[in-house]
Amino acid sequence: MIELIYLTVLLPLLGFIINGVFGSKIKNEKVIGIIGSSTIGLSFIITVLAFFETLSLPTENREHIIELFTWLKVGGLDIHIAYQVDQLSLVMALVVTGVGFIIHVYSMGYMHGDKSYWRYFAYLNLFIFAMMNLILADNFVLLFLGWEGVGLCSYLLIGFWYEKKFEKSTTSEAGKKAFIVNRIGDFGFLLGIFLIYLTFGSLNFGEVFARAGAPGIPESTFNYIALFLFIGAVGKSAQLPLYTWLPDAMAGPTPVSALIHAATMVTAGVYMVARCSIIFVSAPAILTVVAVIGAATALFAATIALVQNDIKKVLAYSTISQLGYMFLALGVGAFSAGIFHLMTHAFFKALLFLGAGSIIHAMHGEQNIQNYGGLKKYLPTTFATFLIASLAISGIPLLSGFFSKDEILWFSFANGNVLYWGIGAFTALLTAFYMFRLVYLTFMGKERIAKDKHPHESPKVMTIPLIILGVLSAIGGFIGIPALFSGESGNKFEHWLEPIFKNAGNKLAIYQTHSHSTEIILMIISVVLAITGIMVARNIYLKNPSFADKMKNRFNGVYKILWNKYFVDEFYDRLIVRPIYRFSESVLWKITDAKIIDGVVDGTASLVNSISEKIRKFENGVAQFYALIMTVGVAIALFWIIFSL
Amino acid sequence: MQEIYNLIPFVLISAGILVSLIFEMYAKNSKRIIAWFSVFIFLAAGFHSLVNVDNAQLFFNSMLQVGGNINIFIFLFNFAAALVVLMAMDYSSKYGNNFGEFYILLQSSVLGMMLMAGAKDLFVIFLGLEIMSVSFYALAGLNRMRLKANEASLKYFLLGSFATGFIVYGIALIFGSTNTTSIPQIVDKFGELTHNLLFMAGILMFLIGFSFKMAAFPFHMWVPDVYEGSATTVAGFFSTAGKTAAFSAVIITLGSVFMHGNANIFEPYLVVLAVTSMLYGSIVAIAQNNIKRMLAYSSIAHAGYLMIGLASGNYEGIAGIIFYLAAYTFMNLGAFGVVALIEGKDETNLTFESYTGLSKKQPFLAAMLAICMFSLAGIPPFAGFFGKYYIFIAAIKSDLTWLAIVGVISSVISIYFYLRVVVIMYFNETEIDLTVQKSNYGLLAVVISVILVIIIGIAPGSLIDLISSFLK
């Protein structure tokens, strides 16, 4: 099955082509949905089989490269369409196809009755195609193709309901914002790729990482490469300061937010940094930057999430915050912990978004949590699964989020310092608080539902995906039980990924030994913090609803800042967007474009046209004249050869 | 045994001609059988040459090479011919000129091309050239009841013989100065003869003669009239296989000169021809209103791009030319194939007006033609883009960056008339009705061409790998 891994890429492409080309002709929604979902389902089955086949192989034989064909060959550049099947890409592929399949199925219910049903599934399949290219690529060019592809799909899907109003403008404006902000990151990423080619003379992962591991390349070069790559990751994974597009990306359909803007695409940056771990550990300064940005983003986004009222906005800021955790893990050299959290986060965050989708579906589009309340009795399944996910993300023991988050916190203390840990732990407190604020305001307490809304539980096609993800969110962490509890066998997940990060780990060599007692104490503290967060939320929003308003009035200044998301959007607007806009309008458009470029283009066009009209008369149909022209040509050529010798 | 095995493409086509001749005499009414027979021998010869790369061998006193690097050309000739037969099957009967000669002439012209590509001696080149050209003159006038076809045939014949005269004269001068007609021997002596006027003038004459077949400026004058006058399928064959054959002959002779480390003495000549052909073809094509004439001028422009590869005179240039020829063969045959399908009886439906709103009436054909136009214009991810790309890279590597820039400018100009077709098909509306006769085989040929255009565009590296394996 490893040899067939390319099918996991081609099947979604096939689905895209079928639905994209013939979709508008297929009148039956079921057929479109089944085509869209089954291609991803088959990809998932192939990935699972490839995973078990890899698992059965000895550790040193687990990396495979499946080459399809030569893509580009120019000078020293030799790029193949080749897919790398190894421990890291398999984990990612399992998450993408698995969660992707569940969300495709869910979408069949959620998008029911939409006039562009086929377009939705075509885009979604195209997204999986691009994402699979991104994670399976064995070289930077193919990775970049996937990287841009997922960006395109993200843009198309954010603006899917392009005429729908979103906040102050339309959803297509939100799509454009996501695309443009991502361009900044992509530009950095591209520079990084160029620099890699310049330094290592190759863009193939195997060759680049082997040469990066060998001595002889100055640290400053690594610093630049790592910095540029990280800029790319910051854009795609919505970290400070390029995170502003992600909250706006919530304009798209909710399953899209679950798939692209929570579980898969936004984690591409984390994956890329982990894949390039050897480059990042060779640039310790940039590794510190990664950790600092990660920690800062985690805290920053969590504070904003405290006061938002739009259910999807809260989840969006929560995603940014959790991505911050992952970068914190990468920054302290705990690559497998970062990937572990990526995986568990994909489960519970996809579940939260799909749950939110189920609520929005039930509430006929209402997204303001202040207008919810007491939904528990109308939406029992949604409530149960949403609760599991909230407990998981808060870090309640034995649920998936507990293991992964705790591992990050532990490594940020063990490899980093107390400050990283402190920020992480405090963010965990905030996370528990805002998540349970959401739970209490939505499902419990007094009903504040508008009279014309009649909430109802979603159909099975939507609730079964919720239940599956609920199970995964609950038990998904057991594959990564820390060595502290599992004893001799150690952390299975870490062990599985070890060969990928071995070189980076050796180079870093900062693993200090801390006693198990420290680990246990830190773990207890983080659990206590999580429970405190939940309790505080319960006291404020369930027991004492007026208290929230009191606090709001008392700390009006802080509230205003948080409510307006630290005015970052406004700040960017004043400082960057408007000046560029003004410059574009007054200089680039009215002078450069309208006068200079248009003038030159139109002028050339009419010049060429008139020349063309003149010389065509040259072709007069008289054979003797043709022969004459030839003779003149021959005469000139002969004169040239005579005089040049 | 190995010798006979290597010779199979030549034997197959030669025997095919004889068999078809006899068959045509006794079975007047089954043209389909000759057609399928031709498709079969073309495909057999084509695939044989594709798998038989490594066994280069010389025949007939080292006058003819079989196998090895010439096989890529042999494959292209045969494959293009097979596609043209598919296109012509229904096309010919539609216009009442479904003569058996068509297939026989096609076969003999392919035989001539194969001789040109495999020649190791100037006489064999000449022999091949004449077999091809005479077949072409007859093919151009196949539609013998049409005045325009007769005119095309006669013009092609007159100007073609004029050009052949230069080639013969060139060969005479070369023989006079070197005492040999064997190409390897001439290549060996090339270094010491670069200041011999007779020799250089001979090579130049030889080159001029082939510039005519390539349709390069100023030896291009026949192209628009002949393409317009002859049947669309035949014009498609002239523009692809004919051009490839001319380039193969020049690559066989001059290419080995360049590869032996000799200075590229003819660079000024090739550069001038490249620049003028590109610009002339692209600019004049804008003023055309007949799609076949437009494609004729486009063919002149493409001869210019290909000349850039010759002017660069390096390995990349040669590989680039072969890549470009492969890409051009398929995208141009695709375009001519669609034109042949749309064309009505008595040369109607050939102006741009007939293509207005085609996307509504014939969405599939419109899409196919659009892909061919995008590819001809050099827009990624289609084959034409990478063809231009490799040629321009070759020019930059031999310090001819300015020539690459001219090439890009010319491409920009050419986008105007290629995309005009797409705009007319997709964005203009019309009331005029268009009836298109169904032709499954013609459609099949178009689809194969377009699929190849897309595949080459997606995996250009694989084709370059293949070409490198031929050239090593």
Side-chain angles (χ1 to χ4, degrees):
Chain A
M1 273 301 150
I2 294 174
E3 286 73 28
L4 294 180
I5 201 77
Y6 60 86
L7 285 179
T8 63
V9 186
L10 291 183
L11 283 170
L13 180 65
L14 189 72
F16 163 67
I17 293 171
I18 294 174
N19 275 339
V21 177
F22 307 108
S24 56
K25 304 239 162 40
I26 305 173
K27 291 284 171 278
N28 192 344
E29 272 188 4
K30 274 228 170 72
V31 176
I32 295 173
I34 286 170
I35 292 170
S37 311
S38 62
T39 49
I40 312 300
L42 285 173
S43 295
F44 177 62
I45 292 169
I46 294 167
T47 315
V48 170
L49 293 176
F51 171 75
F52 281 111
E53 193 179 336
T54 309
L55 202 61
S56 67
L57 296 169
T59 316
E60 61 274 14
N61 290 343
R62 281 181 179 168
E63 289 171 30
H64 293 87
I65 289 181
I66 310 300
E67 196 179 315
L68 278 194
F69 56 84
T70 313
W71 183 16
L72 297 170
K73 198 169 189 180
V74 187
L77 193 65
D78 190 0
I79 304 293
H80 296 256
I81 300 284
Y83 296 116
Q84 179 164 30
V85 184
D86 62 9
Q87 292 90 333
L88 180 57
S89 63
L90 275 172
V91 169
M92 293 296 295
L94 282 173
V95 171
V96 170
T97 53
V99 177
F101 175 61
I102 294 171
I103 292 173
H104 272 74
V105 173
Y106 176 94
S107 297
M108 287 167 68
Y110 190 83
M111 298 302 286
H112 177 68
D114 195 279
K115 67 175 164 58
S116 305
Y117 197 79
W118 61 277
R119 195 162 55 92
Y120 175 84
F121 276 94
Y123 288 165
L124 222 53
N125 277 9
L126 183 65
F127 169 77
I128 300 280
F129 165 71
M131 191 70 201
M132 292 304 282
N133 268 312
L134 195 163
I135 56 184
L136 290 173
D138 95 318
N139 59 67
F140 280 100
V141 183
L142 192 55
L143 173 83
F144 189 70
L145 180 86
W147 188 272
E148 292 296 303
V150 292
L152 170 73
C153 295
S154 159
Y155 162 76
L156 290 171
L157 283 163
I158 293 169
F160 183 74
W161 290 315
Y162 45 84
E163 64 282 86
K164 193 179 147 193
K165 284 266 172 294
F166 177 72
E167 293 186 349
K168 285 169 210 147
S169 52
T170 57
T171 59
S172 44
E173 294 291 323
K176 278 187 224 164
K177 183 173 175 186
F179 204 73
I180 292 166
V181 175
N182 262 301
R183 292 251 69 68
I184 302 170
D186 293 350
F187 182 64
F189 187 32
L190 209 53
L191 287 181
I193 293 177
F194 291 158
L195 207 51
I196 286 172
Y197 185 63
L198 214 61
T199 313
F200 303 109
S202 171
L203 287 175
N204 191 290
F205 285 158
E207 289 168 18
V208 169
F209 297 148
R211 287 172 205 172
I217 292 158
E219 197 181 303
S220 61
T221 312
F222 276 118
N223 280 342
Y224 283 118
I225 294 176
L227 181 64
F228 285 135
L229 292 182
F230 184 57
I231 290 173
V234 164
K236 187 109 317 194
S237 295
Q239 297 294 290
L240 280 174
L242 299 179
Y243 70 94
T244 52
W245 65 271
L246 188 58
D248 284 22
M250 296 302 128
T254 308
V256 168
S257 311
L259 179 63
I260 301 185
H261 305 116
T264 55
M265 183 190 83
V266 287
T267 60
V270 179
Y271 164 76
M272 189 262 282
V273 172
R275 178 59 82 190
C276 303
S277 54
I278 186 75
I279 291 177
F280 278 86
V281 296
S282 308
I286 305 303
L287 208 55
T288 312
V289 172
V290 174
V292 170
I293 295 264
T297 309
L299 180 64
F300 179 81
T303 55
I304 298 176
L306 294 176
V307 300
Q308 299 302 314
N309 278 337
D310 182 323
I311 184 166
K312 286 180 75 181
K313 275 276 157 72
V314 176
L315 294 176
Y317 281 103
S318 163
T319 305
I320 298 173
S321 170
Q322 297 295 315
L323 288 165
Y325 268 118
M326 295 174 212
F327 279 103
L328 175 60
L330 301 175
V332 296
F335 295 106
S336 63
I339 297 294
F340 186 32
H341 195 58
L342 184 162
M343 190 190 79
T344 58
H345 175 255
F347 296 151
F348 58 67
K349 189 51 71 61
L351 175 53
L352 287 170
F353 267 111
L354 294 187
S358 176
I359 298 165
I360 295 166
H361 191 73
M363 295 293 292
H364 310 286
E366 177 63 65
Q367 296 194 11
N368 190 335
I369 49 174
Q370 300 295 351
N371 299 335
Y372 291 168
L375 287 177
K376 188 168 75 171
K377 65 170 186 257
Y378 300 111
L379 308 167
T381 318
T382 308
F383 168 67
T385 50
F386 201 90
L387 187 65
I388 292 173
S390 303
L391 289 169
I393 193 175
S394 306
I396 297 303
L398 300 184
L399 295 171
S400 61
F402 165 74
F403 292 110
S404 58
K405 184 185 277 185
D406 215 67
E407 199 173 327
I408 292 179
L409 289 177
W410 164 242
F411 278 112
S412 64
F413 176 79
N415 294 3
N417 54 45
V418 185
L419 192 62
Y420 290 157
W421 178 83
I423 293 174
F426 183 60
T427 305
L429 170 75
L430 297 180
T431 307
F433 176 79
Y434 68 66
M435 278 318 301
F436 276 84
R437 170 176 174 264
L438 203 58
V439 171
Y440 288 123
L441 283 177
T442 305
F443 291 104
M444 302 184 183
K446 214 168 74 194
E447 281 183 31
R448 300 177 300 278
I449 307 163
K451 291 245 158 52
D452 56 333
K453 308 243 152 96
H454 306 288
H456 55 90
E457 182 61 290
S458 303
K460 279 222 164 55
V461 70
M462 288 166 73
T463 49
I464 289 172
L466 293 179
I467 293 167
I468 297 171
L469 281 172
V471 172
L472 286 172
S473 305
I475 62 167
F478 288 117
I479 56 163
I481 298 174
L484 176 64
F485 298 127
S486 55
E488 283 302 301
S489 60
N491 184 333
K492 282 209 187 66
F493 191 78
E494 197 175 298
H495 189 67
W496 162 257
L497 283 177
E498 200 188 352
I500 304 281
F501 302 124
K502 199 172 61 196
N503 291 335
N506 290 344
K507 198 153 182 173
L508 209 57
I510 53 161
Y511 289 97
Q512 294 156 10
T513 43
H514 289 273
S515 62
H516 280 333
S517 55
T518 326
E519 198 174 342
I520 291 173
I521 291 168
L522 291 177
M523 197 175 279
I524 291 170
I525 294 175
S526 71
V527 172
V528 168
L529 285 173
I531 294 171
T532 314
I534 296 172
M535 283 307 156
V536 172
R538 181 183 157 82
N539 279 329
I540 296 177
Y541 293 101
L542 197 61
K543 295 266 171 72
N544 198 357
S546 60
F547 185 70
D549 285 331
K550 251 185 252 160
M551 290 293 285
K552 197 191 286 181
N553 293 332
R554 191 133 168 226
F555 299 102
N556 198 22
V558 178
Y559 176 79
K560 276 253 168 67
I561 290 174
L562 292 180
W563 173 248
N564 289 302
K565 308 141 197 164
Y566 295 94
F567 295 99
V568 172
D569 271 321
E570 286 75 8
F571 175 73
Y572 284 171
D573 195 51
R574 291 271 158 75
L575 194 75
I576 300 167
V577 179
R578 277 196 214 169
I580 290 180
Y581 192 81
R582 236 173 274 142
F583 179 73
S584 300
E585 192 175 354
S586 58
V587 179
L588 292 180
W589 174 37
K590 287 193 175 142
I591 297 173
T592 316
D593 190 50
K595 299 235 168 83
I596 301 173
I597 296 179
D598 278 2
V600 171
V601 170
D602 291 348
T604 321
S606 54
L607 182 72
V608 169
N609 240 329
S610 62
I611 294 175
S612 176
E613 284 297 332
K614 292 223 169 63
I615 357 182
R616 71 177 296 194
K617 303 214 171 77
F618 202 50
E619 206 82 33
N620 57 6
V622 182
Q624 298 93 308
F625 178 71
Y626 293 179
L628 177 70
I629 297 290
M630 279 175 69
T631 320
V632 171
V634 174
I636 293 173
L638 281 176
F639 270 110
W640 163 74
I641 197 88
I642 290 167
F643 285 107
S644 69
L645 279 179
Chain B
M1 258 336 269
Q2 186 64 41
E3 289 189 0
I4 294 169
Y5 178 71
N6 283 350
L7 213 51
I8 280 178
F10 289 84
V11 175
L12 207 56
I13 305 286
S14 314
I17 296 170
L18 299 176
V19 171
S20 310
L21 270 173
I22 296 165
F23 198 83
E24 152 45 54
M25 274 194 287
Y26 292 104
K28 279 280 176 209
N29 296 321
S30 16
K31 302 291 182 286
R32 276 285 148 89
I33 298 179
I34 300 194
W36 283 114
F37 177 68
S38 324
V39 171
F40 169 74
I41 59 166
F42 285 141
L43 287 182
F47 285 112
H48 175 275
S49 53
L50 204 56
V51 295
N52 194 25
V53 185
D54 297 321
N55 304 314
Q57 210 172 4
L58 295 175
F59 281 96
F60 311 123
N61 294 327
S62 306
M63 283 169 87
L64 183 69
Q65 184 195 337
V66 175
N69 56 13
I70 66 159
N71 270 5
I72 186 97
F73 294 118
I74 294 190
F75 171 74
L76 280 180
F77 302 147
N78 280 294
F79 206 73
L83 288 176
V84 168
V85 172
L86 281 180
M87 283 174 195
M89 270 193 229
D90 292 326
Y91 179 85
S92 310
S93 49
K94 183 159 64 171
Y95 303 108
N97 58 354
N98 193 10
F99 309 121
E101 301 90 292
F102 173 77
Y103 306 103
I104 300 165
L105 286 169
L106 213 56
Q107 289 166 15
S108 57
S109 68
V110 168
L111 181 68
M113 292 171 191
M114 283 160 63
L115 285 174
M116 278 165 82
K120 283 281 156 203
D121 193 286
L122 293 178
F123 282 133
V124 179
I125 288 195
F126 183 70
L127 184 70
L129 177 71
E130 280 310 278
I131 295 176
M132 178 187 91
S133 301
V134 173
S135 313
F136 273 9
Y137 305 147
L139 277 174
L142 196 72
N143 217 345
R144 56 191 168 221
M145 308 310 277
R146 308 275 321 160
L147 199 60
K148 266 196 170 169
N150 287 317
E151 183 196 332
S153 179
L154 192 62
K155 269 186 189 164
Y156 194 16
F157 170 66
L158 285 174
L159 295 170
S161 343
F162 192 46
T164 312
F166 290 114
I167 294 179
V168 181
Y169 191 40
I171 291 176
L173 289 181
I174 294 170
F175 179 71
S177 50
T178 58
N179 267 331
T180 177
T181 54
S182 154
I183 292 169
Q185 288 183 31
I186 295 170
V187 169
D188 283 341
K189 290 188 183 167
F190 193 88
E192 52 196 84
L193 285 169
T194 45
H195 291 285
N196 183 327
L197 182 57
L198 273 190
F199 178 71
M200 295 313 278
I203 300 244
L204 185 65
M205 293 288 218
F206 185 76
L207 211 54
I208 286 171
F210 279 104
S211 306
F212 173 87
K213 295 286 172 203
M214 292 169 192
F217 184 91
F219 313 109
H220 66 280
M221 305 292 281
W222 58 280
V223 177
D225 290 357
V226 171
Y227 282 18
E228 197 192 349
S230 43
T232 307
T233 46
V234 172
F237 192 60
F238 289 171
S239 67
T240 54
K243 203 189 283 285
T244 309
F247 271 97
S248 73
V250 173
I251 286 174
I252 298 296
T253 47
L254 279 190
S256 41
V257 169
F258 300 148
M259 301 282 216
H260 272 66
N262 289 302
N264 191 353
I265 297 172
F266 296 100
E267 190 187 291
Y269 171 81
L270 295 166
V271 164
V272 169
L273 255 65
V275 170
T276 49
S277 304
M278 286 187 301
L279 292 178
Y280 181 86
S282 306
I283 291 174
V284 182
I286 291 176
Q288 302 306 318
N289 197 31
N290 178 312
I291 193 155
K292 271 166 86 180
R293 281 189 89 84
M294 186 276 270
L295 286 169
Y297 283 101
S298 129
S299 160
I300 296 169
H302 284 283
Y305 300 122
L306 287 157
M307 283 269 179
I308 295 182
L310 280 183
S312 338
N314 47 17
Y315 176 84
E316 286 81 7
I318 304 291
I321 291 177
I322 298 174
F323 187 101
Y324 201 114
L325 283 170
Y328 179 71
T329 299
F330 299 124
M331 62 200 184
N332 218 30
L333 274 182
F336 270 104
V338 176
V339 173
L341 285 172
I342 304 268
E343 190 180 336
K345 210 165 159 48
D346 298 329
E347 282 153 30
T348 47
N349 295 341
L350 281 174
T351 52
F352 284 133
E353 285 81 58
S354 322
Y355 287 78
T356 331
L358 194 68
S359 64
K360 297 265 158 51
K361 297 177 227 157
Q362 294 284 336
F364 188 72
L365 283 182
M368 294 291 113
L369 188 58
I371 290 176
C372 291
M373 288 297 144
F374 280 123
S375 182
L376 283 165
I379 292 168
F382 301 112
F385 167 75
F386 286 99
K388 282 194 177 123
Y389 180 76
Y390 282 116
I391 295 255
F392 293 159
I393 284 281
I396 290 165
K397 277 204 176 160
S398 57
D399 294 326
L400 284 170
T401 311
W402 70 271
L403 190 56
I405 293 172
V406 175
V408 172
I409 291 173
S410 160
S411 302
V412 172
I413 298 173
S414 71
I415 284 175
Y416 176 82
F417 58 85
Y418 289 128
L419 292 201
R420 198 169 113 199
V421 178
V422 179
V423 169
I424 286 173
M425 287 193 303
Y426 280 86
F427 302 113
N428 291 6
E429 306 261 331
T430 179
E431 299 297 308
I432 306 166
D433 232 22
L434 181 80
T435 41
V436 173
Q437 269 191 310
K438 259 185 95 123
S439 161
N440 291 335
Y441 301 122
L443 205 57
L444 176 70
V446 170
V447 170
I448 293 173
S449 311
V450 168
I451 288 175
L452 283 167
V453 165
I454 293 172
I455 288 179
I456 295 175
I458 291 173
S462 302
L463 182 59
I464 276 286
D465 274 347
L466 185 71
I467 291 169
S468 310
S469 74
F470 279 104
L471 282 182
K472 68 171 182 266

